[in-house]
Amino acid sequence: MPCRRSTRLSYRPAPLTLPDAASAAGTDTIGAWTTVTTPQASEAKWQAMWRDDGTYEVDNDDPRPPFYCLCMYPYPSGAAHQGHVRNYTFGDLIVRHKTMGGHAVLSPMGFDSFGLPAENAAIKTGVHPRPFTDDRIAQLKASIGRLGAVYDWRREVRSHDPSYMRWTQWIFLRMLDAGLAYRKRAPVNWCPGCQTVLANEQVLADGTCERSGDVVTKRDLEQWFFRITAYADELLDDIDGLDWPERVKTMQRNWIGRSEGAEFDLVVDGRPEVAVRVFTTRPDTSFGMTYAVVAPEHPLVGDLTTAGQAEAVAAFVARVSTESEVERQTAEGPVDKRGVFTGSLVINPFNGKAVPVYLADYVLMGYGTGAIMAVPGEDQRDWDFAKAYDLPIVRTVAPPEGWEGEAYTGDGPAMNSEWLNGMAKDEAVAKAIDWLEAQGIGKRTVNYRLRDWLLSRQRFWGCPIPVVYCPDHGAVAVPDDQLPVLAPDDVEFRPTGESPLKFHEGFLATTCPTCGGPATRETDTMDTFVDSSWYFLRFTDASNDNAPFDPATATHWLPVDQYSGGIEHAILHLMYARFFTKALADVGAVPKGIREPFTRLFTQGMIRLDSTKMSKSKGNLVSPDEFFVREGADALRLAHLFVGPPQDDVDWEGVSIDGTTRFLQRVWRLGAGEVGTTVDRDETDADREVIRATHRLIARVTDEFERWSYNTAVAGFMEHVNALYKYAQTEAGARTETLAFAVDTMLALLAPMCPHITAELY
RNA sequence: GCCCGGGUGGCGGAACGGUAGACGCGGAGGACUCAAAAUCCUUUGUCCGAAAGGGCGUGCGGGUUCGAUUCCCGCCCCGGGCACCA
């Protein structure tokens, strides 16, 4: 056999000692006649080409049909972690798939760059959060680039960029104009040692401050709210039309928590001028009320407490003030410590009987009226409380025959209820409410679990709320032409965590826009969820200096055709973004027709390691960087796609980069003509079977892409490659034309998953 | 506590009422090699059996169905969210 000089392509993982992959020249020469292409060199080459050619940049007047594909923009935590890899692999797959299908795909990326970690780092190191954040963005951007995910970087948005902050503040002011932003007092976590407000995250499980160890209490502050509850019904109703995972839609519905029922007054025994208003969804059970409960922070607590009970009530209220809502609703610990008698009685208007009023930790001021009638016969929590405090239990709904449970919450004929007896639940509810209304002591109401959105944060590293306080004019909006309000750079971070804005005279001192007199700036900044509630709109028109975005341009791209991100955002972020879209349409910033931001949503599962969530704070991150260097981005992308259903959580232990690396090597050999023998001949049955199998692969993968069943699509590719190996290795060999068709077709289908190797081979 | 998910070989998973375990990892055996790596081929739920074959198997207990991993009810366990982490 003549020994001639040839170019041999080999696709093997490079050793970790390879020089920096990005700067590798593209080929290495091994010996005199073999040229090896490494995945790393190939990937760097294609990534540079996509970037330099602007292959995936789209203009707003692109004639192709528009498709807006968006992944939730990341908080810049430093180099990318596997959660980013997973999310952006799914997103990139869709971007490439839709682009191949002839769409103008808007694929933007940005950074959710305000937040607590940068501020904590500033307090620890004294470095201003901005350079810290910019540095982390650079790291994350580089990691994302090595994954081969393609974005139109001309549209990059950063929450902390003044050109973005300006419009975040502008939107706040439009909300204020429309009456959708307002101030009221609300409790915060207060650390008496640090003299500062703490985030929930900064409060340890035992209720102490993570910095000082002091017991954290609640303190009321005047704070800004968005009136999201004004949209409760629309937010609820519009869920039906969304192409979202059912579980997310269910969580959103439950979060809004619409419930129909009644409110009515319970008059204090012997003091007709004092009444406690209660909300109930079960007015049909009112005859079974054997006590009432008000929240420990209820304004009437002082009024209701008798002298004899004052000490016990005070102690109870003090203890509850150190507990979180979750703790208060957890039925752990001794039940008899969960409430206290106020000493007062109220009259049950249905039967005229006096029943005791208690405080209990499980009744929250933020829900309903902050007070309930307790009906232990038909509510398990009331049942447990009644047992612990030796209160009577009267059933007013007859349980089914053979009932051995405690409280019965189902339907059944009313009993022990005078004029309601025998009625089924719905009828009895209606009758009871009619009676309350006729008596003039109550009415039919709808209650929501959803609360208004508290957006004030007592922090430095966030977008300042553009308001000043004038002694004569109160809270006054900063005029549009003075935006953005920027925090100063010459600030000192205190070890207590207190916002430096509160002590910066140059920032604080200003003039009233109304009267020109001296005024003080608001020092609170906005919740970072405000930034993320409209960034998808800014992406459509990211460099607009005259408006947050041009309404016509926004209409061209919106709503987002495919949104994807982690399941952990199923409620808050998505609810707030939906609210902003509706509210902005109503204040005229977004065309009226756009009521929902995200047509189709995909939520991916989380990455866990040893069954705990993989996160920087837990210190169990597995960086993708070593995989980029060793196996290459395509192998890592494929490993994420193959490990299991995208919506399921992934235990990192189960991710096998070896299988997908090996598969890509087999694809490479097949594509490079290194497998078996090829011959030119007329079609045989074996050839026709390969052609049929290739068409079956097209149908299968197309369907599985549509269903997000990427793991089985990868299995399909593997089966195809295995079959082609068998085919080419038979004695008869493979027909050249047939094998080329089978391989080329597969490469085209595989391209959105593994863009580098398929581009290199194609 | 409330709300939402999940539980299938040694491991990740497949099977959208119809042959449980596709595909991959790991294991075993073989080919190639002086040898190793890599690669290629075969095999691999479990128990009994030399084999043929058979028993058992989708967290637990019931139910619907000709037929259930799949649908229903009740448990157990694991994970996520709970409004100031993002």
Side-chain angles (χ1 to χ4, degrees), chain A residues 112 200-201 254 329 449 457-459 643 662 666 711 718 722:
Chain A
D112 186 15
N200 286 346
E201 197 189 45
N254 292 342
Q329 293 183 81
R449 218 185 67 93
R457 295 291 180 272
Q458 294 71 38
R459 301 220 212 298
V643 68
R662 227 157 7 213
R666 284 163 72 84
N711 53 329
M718 287 173 168
N722 292 347

Short mmCIF file of all heavy atoms in Angstrom, two decimals, chain A residues 112 200-201 254 329 449 457-459 643 662 666 711 718 722, chain B residues 1 3 12 14 16 22-26 40 83-86:
data_model
loop_
_atom_site.label_atom_id
_atom_site.label_comp_id
_atom_site.label_asym_id
_atom_site.label_seq_id
_atom_site.Cartn_x
_atom_site.Cartn_y
_atom_site.Cartn_z
N ASP A 112 -29.09 40.65 34.58
CA ASP A 112 -29.93 41.13 35.69
C ASP A 112 -28.97 41.57 36.78
O ASP A 112 -28.77 40.89 37.77
CB ASP A 112 -30.80 39.95 36.14
CG ASP A 112 -31.80 40.34 37.18
OD1 ASP A 112 -32.04 41.54 37.37
OD2 ASP A 112 -32.35 39.42 37.82
N ASN A 200 -34.93 38.38 53.63
CA ASN A 200 -35.28 37.09 54.24
C ASN A 200 -34.08 36.15 54.24
O ASN A 200 -33.88 35.38 55.17
CB ASN A 200 -36.42 36.45 53.45
CG ASN A 200 -37.75 37.13 53.71
OD1 ASN A 200 -37.87 37.91 54.67
ND2 ASN A 200 -38.72 36.86 52.88
N GLU A 201 -33.29 36.24 53.16
CA GLU A 201 -32.15 35.36 53.01
C GLU A 201 -31.10 35.59 54.09
O GLU A 201 -30.30 34.71 54.40
CB GLU A 201 -31.51 35.58 51.63
CG GLU A 201 -30.60 34.47 51.20
CD GLU A 201 -29.82 34.84 49.95
OE1 GLU A 201 -29.31 35.97 49.88
OE2 GLU A 201 -29.74 34.02 49.06
N ASN A 254 -53.15 29.44 41.92
CA ASN A 254 -53.20 29.29 43.37
C ASN A 254 -52.59 30.50 44.08
O ASN A 254 -52.99 30.85 45.18
CB ASN A 254 -52.48 28.02 43.80
CG ASN A 254 -53.21 26.77 43.37
OD1 ASN A 254 -54.40 26.82 43.04
ND2 ASN A 254 -52.52 25.65 43.34
N GLN A 329 -47.15 29.21 59.98
CA GLN A 329 -48.16 28.31 59.42
C GLN A 329 -47.77 26.85 59.51
O GLN A 329 -48.49 25.97 59.06
CB GLN A 329 -48.44 28.71 57.97
CG GLN A 329 -49.12 30.07 57.93
CD GLN A 329 -49.48 30.47 56.52
OE1 GLN A 329 -50.48 30.03 55.98
NE2 GLN A 329 -48.64 31.30 55.93
N ARG A 449 -55.64 35.93 47.57
CA ARG A 449 -54.42 35.68 48.33
C ARG A 449 -53.32 36.63 47.89
O ARG A 449 -52.43 36.99 48.64
CB ARG A 449 -53.98 34.22 48.09
CG ARG A 449 -53.41 33.51 49.29
CD ARG A 449 -52.90 32.14 48.89
NE ARG A 449 -51.74 32.26 48.02
CZ ARG A 449 -50.48 32.26 48.46
NH1 ARG A 449 -50.23 32.09 49.73
NH2 ARG A 449 -49.49 32.40 47.62
N ARG A 457 -36.71 48.65 48.53
CA ARG A 457 -35.63 47.89 49.14
C ARG A 457 -34.68 48.90 49.79
O ARG A 457 -34.28 49.86 49.15
CB ARG A 457 -34.86 47.08 48.09
CG ARG A 457 -35.69 46.00 47.41
CD ARG A 457 -36.04 44.87 48.38
NE ARG A 457 -36.82 43.83 47.75
CZ ARG A 457 -38.14 43.82 47.67
NH1 ARG A 457 -38.85 44.81 48.20
NH2 ARG A 457 -38.78 42.84 47.06
N GLN A 458 -34.28 48.61 51.04
CA GLN A 458 -33.42 49.53 51.75
C GLN A 458 -31.96 49.18 51.43
O GLN A 458 -31.20 48.76 52.29
CB GLN A 458 -33.70 49.46 53.26
CG GLN A 458 -35.08 49.97 53.64
CD GLN A 458 -36.19 49.01 53.21
OE1 GLN A 458 -36.05 47.80 53.27
NE2 GLN A 458 -37.31 49.57 52.76
N ARG A 459 -31.62 49.32 50.13
CA ARG A 459 -30.31 48.88 49.66
C ARG A 459 -29.71 49.89 48.70
O ARG A 459 -30.41 50.70 48.10
CB ARG A 459 -30.46 47.58 48.88
CG ARG A 459 -31.06 46.50 49.68
CD ARG A 459 -30.35 45.22 49.38
NE ARG A 459 -31.29 44.13 49.51
CZ ARG A 459 -31.89 43.83 50.63
NH1 ARG A 459 -31.64 44.53 51.73
NH2 ARG A 459 -32.75 42.84 50.68
N VAL A 643 -29.55 13.74 29.02
CA VAL A 643 -29.61 13.17 30.37
C VAL A 643 -31.03 12.85 30.82
O VAL A 643 -31.25 11.93 31.61
CB VAL A 643 -28.92 14.10 31.38
CG1 VAL A 643 -29.70 15.39 31.54
CG2 VAL A 643 -28.74 13.42 32.72
N ARG A 662 -18.39 10.15 22.98
CA ARG A 662 -18.16 8.98 22.15
C ARG A 662 -19.07 9.00 20.92
O ARG A 662 -18.65 8.68 19.82
CB ARG A 662 -18.44 7.71 22.97
CG ARG A 662 -17.32 6.74 22.80
CD ARG A 662 -17.08 5.71 23.84
NE ARG A 662 -17.97 5.53 24.94
CZ ARG A 662 -17.55 5.16 26.14
NH1 ARG A 662 -16.27 4.96 26.37
NH2 ARG A 662 -18.41 4.99 27.11
N ARG A 666 -18.11 9.07 16.87
CA ARG A 666 -18.65 8.15 15.86
C ARG A 666 -19.27 8.94 14.71
O ARG A 666 -19.13 8.57 13.54
CB ARG A 666 -19.70 7.23 16.50
CG ARG A 666 -19.07 6.11 17.33
CD ARG A 666 -20.07 5.47 18.28
NE ARG A 666 -21.07 4.62 17.63
CZ ARG A 666 -20.87 3.34 17.30
NH1 ARG A 666 -19.71 2.77 17.55
NH2 ARG A 666 -21.82 2.64 16.72
N ASN A 711 -34.17 14.35 24.84
CA ASN A 711 -33.41 13.16 25.25
C ASN A 711 -33.71 11.98 24.32
O ASN A 711 -32.81 11.23 23.95
CB ASN A 711 -33.69 12.80 26.71
CG ASN A 711 -35.16 12.67 27.02
OD1 ASN A 711 -36.00 13.33 26.41
ND2 ASN A 711 -35.49 11.79 27.96
N MET A 718 -28.52 8.39 17.96
CA MET A 718 -27.60 7.31 18.31
C MET A 718 -27.99 6.01 17.60
O MET A 718 -27.13 5.30 17.07
CB MET A 718 -27.58 7.11 19.82
CG MET A 718 -26.86 8.22 20.56
SD MET A 718 -27.01 8.07 22.35
CE MET A 718 -25.79 9.28 22.89
N ASN A 722 -25.69 4.03 14.94
CA ASN A 722 -25.40 2.60 15.13
C ASN A 722 -25.81 1.80 13.90
O ASN A 722 -25.07 0.91 13.47
CB ASN A 722 -26.14 2.06 16.36
CG ASN A 722 -25.59 2.65 17.65
OD1 ASN A 722 -24.52 3.26 17.66
ND2 ASN A 722 -26.33 2.49 18.74
P G B 1 -47.11 19.29 57.63
OP1 G B 1 -47.20 18.80 56.29
OP2 G B 1 -45.93 19.42 58.45
"O5'" G B 1 -47.85 20.70 57.67
"C5'" G B 1 -49.08 20.86 58.37
"C4'" G B 1 -49.60 22.23 58.05
"O4'" G B 1 -48.56 23.21 58.35
"C3'" G B 1 -49.91 22.46 56.58
"O3'" G B 1 -51.25 22.09 56.33
"C2'" G B 1 -49.69 23.95 56.39
"O2'" G B 1 -50.81 24.69 56.86
"C1'" G B 1 -48.52 24.21 57.35
N9 G B 1 -47.20 24.15 56.71
C8 G B 1 -46.22 23.20 56.92
N7 G B 1 -45.14 23.43 56.24
C5 G B 1 -45.42 24.59 55.52
C6 G B 1 -44.62 25.31 54.60
O6 G B 1 -43.47 25.06 54.24
N1 G B 1 -45.28 26.42 54.08
C2 G B 1 -46.55 26.78 54.43
N2 G B 1 -47.03 27.88 53.84
N3 G B 1 -47.32 26.11 55.29
C4 G B 1 -46.69 25.04 55.79
P C B 3 -53.01 22.75 49.70
OP1 C B 3 -54.41 22.60 49.25
OP2 C B 3 -52.25 21.60 50.20
"O5'" C B 3 -52.18 23.40 48.51
"C5'" C B 3 -52.68 24.50 47.78
"C4'" C B 3 -51.63 24.99 46.83
"O4'" C B 3 -50.48 25.48 47.58
"C3'" C B 3 -51.02 23.93 45.93
"O3'" C B 3 -51.85 23.60 44.84
"C2'" C B 3 -49.72 24.61 45.52
"O2'" C B 3 -49.97 25.65 44.60
"C1'" C B 3 -49.28 25.22 46.84
N1 C B 3 -48.42 24.29 47.61
C2 C B 3 -47.07 24.22 47.27
O2 C B 3 -46.66 24.95 46.36
N3 C B 3 -46.26 23.39 47.94
C4 C B 3 -46.75 22.62 48.91
N4 C B 3 -45.90 21.80 49.54
C5 C B 3 -48.12 22.66 49.28
C6 C B 3 -48.92 23.50 48.60
P G B 12 -30.69 6.93 38.98
OP1 G B 12 -31.15 7.91 39.96
OP2 G B 12 -31.49 5.71 38.72
"O5'" G B 12 -30.46 7.66 37.60
"C5'" G B 12 -29.72 8.88 37.56
"C4'" G B 12 -29.71 9.41 36.16
"O4'" G B 12 -28.95 8.52 35.30
"C3'" G B 12 -31.06 9.47 35.47
"O3'" G B 12 -31.81 10.59 35.90
"C2'" G B 12 -30.63 9.57 34.00
"O2'" G B 12 -30.15 10.86 33.71
"C1'" G B 12 -29.46 8.57 33.98
N9 G B 12 -29.94 7.24 33.60
C8 G B 12 -30.34 6.23 34.45
N7 G B 12 -30.75 5.16 33.80
C5 G B 12 -30.62 5.49 32.47
C6 G B 12 -30.90 4.74 31.31
O6 G B 12 -31.35 3.59 31.23
N1 G B 12 -30.63 5.45 30.14
C2 G B 12 -30.13 6.74 30.11
N2 G B 12 -29.93 7.26 28.90
N3 G B 12 -29.86 7.45 31.19
C4 G B 12 -30.12 6.77 32.32
P A B 14 -37.54 9.68 30.12
OP1 A B 14 -37.77 10.82 29.21
OP2 A B 14 -38.41 9.46 31.27
"O5'" A B 14 -37.53 8.36 29.23
"C5'" A B 14 -36.94 8.39 27.93
"C4'" A B 14 -37.30 7.16 27.18
"O4'" A B 14 -36.81 5.99 27.87
"C3'" A B 14 -38.79 6.88 27.04
"O3'" A B 14 -39.33 7.67 26.01
"C2'" A B 14 -38.80 5.40 26.71
"O2'" A B 14 -38.48 5.19 25.34
"C1'" A B 14 -37.62 4.89 27.54
N9 A B 14 -38.00 4.21 28.77
C8 A B 14 -37.86 4.62 30.07
N7 A B 14 -38.25 3.75 30.96
C5 A B 14 -38.69 2.69 30.19
C6 A B 14 -39.22 1.42 30.53
N6 A B 14 -39.41 1.02 31.78
N1 A B 14 -39.56 0.60 29.51
C2 A B 14 -39.36 1.01 28.26
N3 A B 14 -38.87 2.16 27.82
C4 A B 14 -38.54 2.96 28.85
P C B 16 -45.73 6.61 24.84
OP1 C B 16 -46.18 6.72 23.47
OP2 C B 16 -44.86 7.61 25.42
"O5'" C B 16 -47.06 6.47 25.71
"C5'" C B 16 -47.16 7.07 26.95
"C4'" C B 16 -48.48 7.75 27.13
"O4'" C B 16 -48.26 9.18 27.26
"C3'" C B 16 -49.52 7.65 26.02
"O3'" C B 16 -50.78 7.87 26.64
"C2'" C B 16 -49.22 8.84 25.16
"O2'" C B 16 -50.29 9.33 24.38
"C1'" C B 16 -48.90 9.88 26.25
N1 C B 16 -48.02 10.96 25.79
C2 C B 16 -48.54 12.26 25.75
O2 C B 16 -49.71 12.45 26.11
N3 C B 16 -47.74 13.27 25.34
C4 C B 16 -46.50 13.02 24.97
N4 C B 16 -45.75 14.03 24.57
C5 C B 16 -45.95 11.69 24.98
C6 C B 16 -46.75 10.70 25.39
P A B 22 -33.61 -1.52 26.85
OP1 A B 22 -33.68 -2.98 26.67
OP2 A B 22 -32.56 -0.91 27.67
"O5'" A B 22 -33.58 -0.81 25.41
"C5'" A B 22 -34.48 -1.20 24.39
"C4'" A B 22 -34.81 -0.01 23.53
"O4'" A B 22 -35.70 0.89 24.24
"C3'" A B 22 -33.61 0.88 23.16
"O3'" A B 22 -32.92 0.36 22.04
"C2'" A B 22 -34.30 2.20 22.84
"O2'" A B 22 -34.89 2.18 21.55
"C1'" A B 22 -35.40 2.23 23.90
N9 A B 22 -34.99 2.92 25.11
C8 A B 22 -34.80 2.40 26.37
N7 A B 22 -34.42 3.27 27.27
C5 A B 22 -34.35 4.46 26.55
C6 A B 22 -34.02 5.76 26.93
N6 A B 22 -33.67 6.10 28.17
N1 A B 22 -34.04 6.72 25.98
C2 A B 22 -34.39 6.38 24.74
N3 A B 22 -34.73 5.18 24.26
C4 A B 22 -34.71 4.25 25.23
P C B 23 -31.34 0.15 22.07
OP1 C B 23 -30.91 -0.22 20.71
OP2 C B 23 -31.01 -0.70 23.23
"O5'" C B 23 -30.80 1.62 22.40
"C5'" C B 23 -30.84 2.66 21.42
"C4'" C B 23 -30.41 3.96 22.04
"O4'" C B 23 -31.42 4.40 23.00
"C3'" C B 23 -29.13 3.89 22.88
"O3'" C B 23 -27.98 3.93 22.07
"C2'" C B 23 -29.29 5.12 23.76
"O2'" C B 23 -29.06 6.31 23.04
"C1'" C B 23 -30.77 5.03 24.10
N1 C B 23 -30.99 4.22 25.31
C2 C B 23 -30.84 4.85 26.56
O2 C B 23 -30.53 6.05 26.61
N3 C B 23 -31.02 4.13 27.70
C4 C B 23 -31.35 2.83 27.61
N4 C B 23 -31.52 2.16 28.74
C5 C B 23 -31.50 2.18 26.34
C6 C B 23 -31.32 2.90 25.24
P G B 24 -26.68 3.11 22.51
OP1 G B 24 -25.69 3.28 21.43
OP2 G B 24 -27.06 1.76 22.96
"O5'" G B 24 -26.19 3.90 23.80
"C5'" G B 24 -25.62 5.20 23.66
"C4'" G B 24 -25.51 5.86 25.00
"O4'" G B 24 -26.79 5.85 25.68
"C3'" G B 24 -24.59 5.21 26.02
"O3'" G B 24 -23.23 5.45 25.74
"C2'" G B 24 -25.06 5.91 27.28
"O2'" G B 24 -24.64 7.26 27.31
"C1'" G B 24 -26.59 5.89 27.07
N9 G B 24 -27.16 4.70 27.70
C8 G B 24 -27.61 3.55 27.11
N7 G B 24 -28.05 2.67 27.99
C5 G B 24 -27.84 3.28 29.22
C6 G B 24 -28.11 2.82 30.53
O6 G B 24 -28.60 1.74 30.89
N1 G B 24 -27.75 3.76 31.49
C2 G B 24 -27.21 4.99 31.22
N2 G B 24 -26.94 5.76 32.26
N3 G B 24 -26.97 5.44 30.00
C4 G B 24 -27.31 4.53 29.06
P C B 25 -22.11 4.49 26.32
OP1 C B 25 -20.83 4.98 25.78
OP2 C B 25 -22.52 3.08 26.11
"O5'" C B 25 -22.16 4.77 27.88
"C5'" C B 25 -21.69 6.01 28.39
"C4'" C B 25 -21.87 6.04 29.89
"O4'" C B 25 -23.25 5.78 30.23
"C3'" C B 25 -21.12 4.96 30.66
"O3'" C B 25 -19.76 5.28 30.83
"C2'" C B 25 -21.88 4.95 31.97
"O2'" C B 25 -21.54 6.07 32.77
"C1'" C B 25 -23.31 5.11 31.47
N1 C B 25 -23.99 3.80 31.30
C2 C B 25 -24.36 3.10 32.45
O2 C B 25 -24.14 3.62 33.57
N3 C B 25 -24.97 1.91 32.34
C4 C B 25 -25.18 1.39 31.12
N4 C B 25 -25.78 0.19 31.06
C5 C B 25 -24.81 2.07 29.93
C6 C B 25 -24.21 3.27 30.06
P G B 26 -18.66 4.14 30.70
OP1 G B 26 -17.35 4.79 30.92
OP2 G B 26 -18.91 3.36 29.46
"O5'" G B 26 -19.00 3.21 31.94
"C5'" G B 26 -18.79 3.68 33.27
"C4'" G B 26 -19.38 2.68 34.25
"O4'" G B 26 -20.81 2.58 34.05
"C3'" G B 26 -18.90 1.25 34.09
"O3'" G B 26 -17.63 1.03 34.68
"C2'" G B 26 -20.01 0.49 34.80
"O2'" G B 26 -19.91 0.62 36.20
"C1'" G B 26 -21.24 1.25 34.30
N9 G B 26 -21.72 0.67 33.05
C8 G B 26 -21.57 1.17 31.78
N7 G B 26 -22.09 0.40 30.85
C5 G B 26 -22.60 -0.68 31.56
C6 G B 26 -23.29 -1.84 31.10
O6 G B 26 -23.57 -2.15 29.94
N1 G B 26 -23.62 -2.68 32.15
C2 G B 26 -23.35 -2.44 33.47
N2 G B 26 -23.75 -3.38 34.33
N3 G B 26 -22.72 -1.37 33.92
C4 G B 26 -22.38 -0.54 32.91
P C B 40 -16.31 2.53 18.06
OP1 C B 40 -17.24 3.33 17.24
OP2 C B 40 -16.51 2.43 19.52
"O5'" C B 40 -16.24 1.05 17.47
"C5'" C B 40 -16.10 0.85 16.07
"C4'" C B 40 -15.90 -0.61 15.80
"O4'" C B 40 -14.65 -1.06 16.41
"C3'" C B 40 -16.93 -1.54 16.42
"O3'" C B 40 -18.13 -1.58 15.67
"C2'" C B 40 -16.19 -2.86 16.44
"O2'" C B 40 -16.14 -3.43 15.14
"C1'" C B 40 -14.79 -2.41 16.84
N1 C B 40 -14.58 -2.46 18.31
C2 C B 40 -14.25 -3.69 18.87
O2 C B 40 -14.16 -4.69 18.15
N3 C B 40 -14.04 -3.77 20.21
C4 C B 40 -14.16 -2.68 20.97
N4 C B 40 -13.95 -2.80 22.28
C5 C B 40 -14.50 -1.41 20.41
C6 C B 40 -14.70 -1.35 19.09
P A B 83 -42.14 34.51 51.53
OP1 A B 83 -40.99 33.65 51.82
OP2 A B 83 -43.07 34.89 52.59
"O5'" A B 83 -41.60 35.82 50.83
"C5'" A B 83 -41.03 35.75 49.52
"C4'" A B 83 -41.69 36.76 48.61
"O4'" A B 83 -43.00 36.30 48.20
"C3'" A B 83 -41.89 38.12 49.26
"O3'" A B 83 -41.59 39.13 48.32
"C2'" A B 83 -43.39 38.16 49.54
"O2'" A B 83 -43.94 39.44 49.57
"C1'" A B 83 -43.92 37.35 48.36
N9 A B 83 -45.24 36.83 48.67
C8 A B 83 -45.58 35.92 49.64
N7 A B 83 -46.87 35.74 49.73
C5 A B 83 -47.42 36.57 48.77
C6 A B 83 -48.74 36.83 48.39
N6 A B 83 -49.80 36.26 48.95
N1 A B 83 -48.92 37.72 47.39
C2 A B 83 -47.86 38.30 46.83
N3 A B 83 -46.57 38.13 47.11
C4 A B 83 -46.42 37.25 48.10
P C B 84 -40.98 40.49 48.79
OP1 C B 84 -41.73 41.00 49.94
OP2 C B 84 -40.91 41.27 47.56
"O5'" C B 84 -39.50 40.16 49.26
"C5'" C B 84 -38.56 39.64 48.34
"C4'" C B 84 -37.18 39.68 48.96
"O4'" C B 84 -36.89 41.05 49.32
"C3'" C B 84 -37.07 38.88 50.26
"O3'" C B 84 -35.72 38.46 50.40
"C2'" C B 84 -37.33 39.92 51.31
"O2'" C B 84 -36.77 39.59 52.57
"C1'" C B 84 -36.59 41.11 50.71
N1 C B 84 -37.06 42.40 51.20
C2 C B 84 -36.10 43.23 51.78
O2 C B 84 -34.94 42.84 51.84
N3 C B 84 -36.49 44.43 52.26
C4 C B 84 -37.76 44.81 52.17
N4 C B 84 -38.08 45.98 52.65
C5 C B 84 -38.75 43.97 51.57
C6 C B 84 -38.35 42.78 51.11
P C B 85 -35.27 37.16 49.61
OP1 C B 85 -36.39 36.51 48.95
OP2 C B 85 -34.51 36.45 50.66
"O5'" C B 85 -34.27 37.72 48.53
"C5'" C B 85 -32.95 38.12 48.86
"C4'" C B 85 -31.97 37.40 47.97
"O4'" C B 85 -32.11 35.99 48.18
"C3'" C B 85 -32.21 37.60 46.49
"O3'" C B 85 -31.52 38.74 46.04
"C2'" C B 85 -31.63 36.33 45.88
"O2'" C B 85 -30.23 36.47 45.69
"C1'" C B 85 -31.84 35.30 46.98
N1 C B 85 -32.96 34.38 46.72
C2 C B 85 -32.71 33.27 45.89
O2 C B 85 -31.59 33.15 45.40
N3 C B 85 -33.71 32.39 45.67
C4 C B 85 -34.90 32.58 46.23
N4 C B 85 -35.84 31.68 45.98
C5 C B 85 -35.16 33.69 47.07
C6 C B 85 -34.17 34.56 47.29
P A B 86 -32.24 39.75 45.02
OP1 A B 86 -31.37 40.94 44.92
OP2 A B 86 -33.65 39.89 45.41
"O5'" A B 86 -32.17 38.96 43.64
"C5'" A B 86 -30.93 38.78 42.96
"C4'" A B 86 -31.11 37.64 41.99
"O4'" A B 86 -31.59 36.48 42.71
"C3'" A B 86 -32.18 37.88 40.93
"O3'" A B 86 -31.63 38.55 39.80
"C2'" A B 86 -32.65 36.47 40.59
"O2'" A B 86 -31.77 35.85 39.68
"C1'" A B 86 -32.53 35.77 41.93
N9 A B 86 -33.81 35.72 42.66
C8 A B 86 -34.39 36.69 43.42
N7 A B 86 -35.54 36.33 43.96
C5 A B 86 -35.71 35.03 43.51
C6 A B 86 -36.73 34.07 43.72
N6 A B 86 -37.82 34.30 44.46
N1 A B 86 -36.59 32.87 43.13
C2 A B 86 -35.50 32.65 42.38
N3 A B 86 -34.48 33.46 42.11
C4 A B 86 -34.65 34.65 42.71
#
